[in-house]
Structures are given as C-alpha cells and as structure tokens.
Amino acid sequence: MRIKQLDYIVKIVELGSVNEAAKHLFITQPSLSNAVKELEQEMGIQIFQRTQKGMVLTTEGTEFLAYARQILEQVDLLEEKYKGTDKRRRLFSVSAQHYAFAVHAFVQLIRSYEENEYEFTFRETQTNNIIEDVSTFHSELGILYLNAFNEKVIRKLLKEKQLVFHPLFIAAPHVFVSKKNPLVGKKSVTLADLEDFPYLSFEQGRVNSFHFSEEILSTLYHKKSIRVSDRATLFNFLIGLDGYTISSGVLSRELNDENIVALPLEVDETMELGWIHPIQKPLSPMAEEYLRYLKEHIIDYGFTIIE
C-alpha cells in the first residue's frame, strides 16, 4: 500500500467520479482504475462497487476511507514538521440545517485561518442529505436537532450509518418574524396567535417525512403554508409577507438581517441541537477548532453547553 493510492481513493470520493479524479490528479483514467484495483487486491477488500452511475463506496470501503483520511492527515503533519514543506491546501466541510450560528462559527474559522490557500465547504441542506454527507465523508461534521418527536427515527438512521450524535445545547422553540409583524411587542406568542400568518418551512426533498422536518410541530395543519429551500428566501418572505417560521431562537447579530426578531413560542417542547460524526473516525484539528467557535458563539447567546 502506498500513500499515493490513499490519495487516489480520497480524490475519487470527493469528486464522485474516476474520470474527474484522474483529471485532477493528472493521470489517465485506466491508470487510476488499475491503482484502485491493485489496492483492493492487496487489502483483500472491495472498496468501490462499480455501477452504471459510477463508483460507489461499499461498507468496507467506507470504513477504509476513514482510516485513509486519518493516515493522510498524519502524513501532512509529518511533512510540515520535518521536511519543511509548504502546508497542503486545507480541506474542511460541514453540512447543516439552516442555522445562522453554525454559519457564524464557520466564518470565524475561515477568518482565523492564516494560509493563502484553502478549500472549505459549508452545505446548508436537507436533513437526510446531512446524514448522507457525513456517512460518506463528504462532510466531516453535520449540525441538526433532535426532539421527542423525531429522536427515535433519527437515532435509528444514525446507528445504521455508524454515526453518533453529540448534543450541544437545549433550546426552547421560538418563532422568527419581521420586526414589523403585528405580533412584535408580545412577550411570547401562542399557536393561536399565528393562525392567520403564513407559515414558512424548509423543504426536505424526496425524503419529506415529518421526522426530517427542520421545524418542530411539523404535523400541525397551517391554513397558509410556504416551503422554501434557503434561508435568504425564507427571511425575504418573513419580511414581505409577515410570515413566520419556528426555530431555536438563536439569531446571529453579525449575519442575520436586522429586520428579523425571535419571539418565544408557548409550547411544551424543546429542541436538542448538536453535531454528528462517524463513530470510529477521530476529529481533525480543523473540526476541533470549528466546534470551539461553535460553542463560543452559542455561549455568547446565553445558552449552556451540554458537556
């Protein structure tokens, strides 16, 4: 087994295609395919399943990839320390539900990174995509929430994907509304108060189960309901239509529109927000740094971190 072969495996997974990986690695597609086959034969496992849609990681391949990434990270550290080589282009990726605090922490991470070259990815995406991204190592961490309604289903899926949920903090549900909304000024609002206002939620694509909803109380009927795919559109509708959405109540003062406010919602519910990660894969130094910023931001908004 050679370090270069591990690089090949990681690149194929990152780009999702042998052809694209070969282009980025400046080798021919047959040479890359042969290198993968040789590694599989040497290790005695099948890393990829060859399908008409391309190369798909097998269960063994997924586990192998976790170890390969760990080895490559250690090689980087050794080369930087003893060979005096320039640091490699850093790669780091997070997938999350639509939370401004998660974005804010990512911004702080990038600001703190002093190198001239990097490649960071932040995916605000659907709940099922978050789980898939982390389980296939497209993202190192995922940010989502659990509550009494969705916990059993989500934890079952995480177990199947060999992922673990680490709680960060408990939040009481709030509604986000425009500061011009007639409800602003109330200390808290009830579901009855919200009946005549448009309800905004994030679409969940093909996996549109209530258990994958980003908003609690997802099974409730709403006279006016609008689904959107991104936070900017949702905020525009909050302002333009006097709509509302249900979330954790954590608004980033730096990144959120100053026209949006959070009002406590009078329901007997809580949200446990946290991060997911592969069970057997240790966190990279960059992931540790991101979590540090994430926790600092959460504490700054008055929440207690769950240890």
Side-chain angles (χ1 to χ4, degrees):
M1 181 180 67
R2 300 186 301 276
I3 298 299
K4 187 175 292 186
Q5 288 174 305
L6 302 184
D7 268 324
Y8 290 169
I9 299 297
V10 170
K11 186 59 69 175
I12 292 171
V13 173
E14 287 177 352
L15 298 178
S17 162
V18 174
N19 288 333
E20 288 300 315
K23 291 177 185 177
H24 280 74
L25 293 166
F26 302 105
I27 62 175
T28 65
Q29 186 270 334
S31 296
L32 180 55
S33 296
N34 288 334
V36 173
K37 289 179 182 178
E38 288 174 3
L39 181 60
E40 289 178 321
Q41 290 172 357
E42 182 181 352
M43 294 292 102
I45 63 172
Q46 183 179 358
I47 299 172
F48 291 106
Q49 181 180 355
R50 281 76 174 170
T51 70
Q52 292 181 344
K53 295 183 179 180
M55 305 274 267
V56 179
L57 278 173
T58 63
T59 301
E60 288 179 320
T62 299
E63 185 177 8
F64 182 85
L65 178 65
Y67 286 108
R69 287 185 185 275
Q70 186 176 353
I71 290 169
L72 291 173
E73 288 165 1
Q74 294 301 316
V75 169
D76 284 350
L77 292 174
L78 280 171
E79 289 181 343
E80 289 167 14
K81 183 174 180 63
Y82 294 107
K83 293 178 65 176
T85 57
D86 292 334
K87 291 184 178 180
R88 288 194 187 189
R89 182 181 178 90
R90 283 289 182 250
L91 303 174
F92 180 62
S93 179
V94 170
S95 293
Q97 291 176 330
H98 298 77
Y99 298 127
F101 67 85
V103 177
H104 189 183
F106 207 79
V107 169
Q108 289 177 299
L109 175 70
I110 296 173
R111 284 176 177 169
S112 70
Y113 190 65
E114 298 178 350
E115 302 304 318
N116 293 325
E117 292 191 20
Y118 53 76
E119 185 176 330
F120 293 155
T121 303
F122 189 92
R123 300 181 181 93
E124 278 193 332
T125 187
Q126 298 158 355
T127 303
N128 188 64
N129 290 347
I130 296 168
I131 296 171
E132 284 299 314
D133 284 349
V134 178
S135 68
T136 57
F137 304 103
H138 283 89
S139 287
E140 185 168 351
L141 301 177
I143 312 294
L144 47 75
Y145 84 93
L146 299 179
N147 73 340
F149 177 71
N150 74 2
E151 182 172 13
K152 188 174 181 180
V153 171
I154 298 297
R155 284 195 183 277
K156 180 176 182 294
L157 182 56
L158 294 179
K159 184 177 180 181
E160 290 173 357
K161 300 288 186 179
Q162 295 188 307
L163 305 176
V164 62
F165 176 84
H166 302 268
L168 281 169
F169 68 104
I170 302 292
H174 286 63
V175 294
F176 289 165
V177 296
S178 162
K179 70 177 183 180
K180 296 181 180 179
N181 189 290
L183 296 174
V184 173
K186 293 174 68 73
K187 291 185 178 179
S188 61
V189 296
T190 66
L191 293 172
D193 293 330
L194 299 166
E195 280 185 356
D196 293 327
F197 296 94
Y199 168 70
L200 296 159
S201 61
F202 290 107
E203 64 176 357
Q204 294 300 319
R206 290 177 296 176
V207 188
N208 199 26
S209 163
F210 289 126
H211 295 97
F212 287 82
S213 174
E214 292 189 40
E215 301 80 23
I216 67 164
L217 307 172
S218 57
T219 59
L220 292 181
Y221 172 76
H222 303 275
K223 291 191 296 184
K224 304 172 183 178
S225 180
I226 303 169
R227 289 192 178 91
V228 300
S229 60
D230 65 272
R231 231 170 356 108
T233 300
L234 184 139
F235 282 179
N236 286 337
F237 284 157
L238 293 186
I239 296 169
L241 298 175
D242 270 341
Y244 74 95
T245 191
I246 302 175
S247 190
S248 64
V250 186
L251 282 168
S252 171
R253 287 184 286 266
E254 289 190 20
L255 303 179
N256 278 112
D257 194 305
E258 61 182 7
N259 292 314
I260 304 299
V261 297
L263 303 174
L265 179 62
E266 295 180 20
V267 291
D268 187 20
E269 297 275 354
T270 58
M271 304 170 64
E272 185 177 45
L273 290 95
W275 54 281
I276 61 173
H277 182 259
I279 292 172
Q280 295 182 336
K281 187 176 186 298
L283 289 174
S284 69
M286 195 154 289
E288 295 275 13
E289 188 76 353
Y290 174 70
L291 288 172
R292 183 175 69 81
Y293 285 122
L294 195 63
K295 292 175 181 179
E296 286 178 358
H297 188 51
I298 291 166
I299 292 171
D300 184 48
Y301 278 84
F303 292 90
T304 301
I305 296 295
I306 299 173
E307 299 295 347

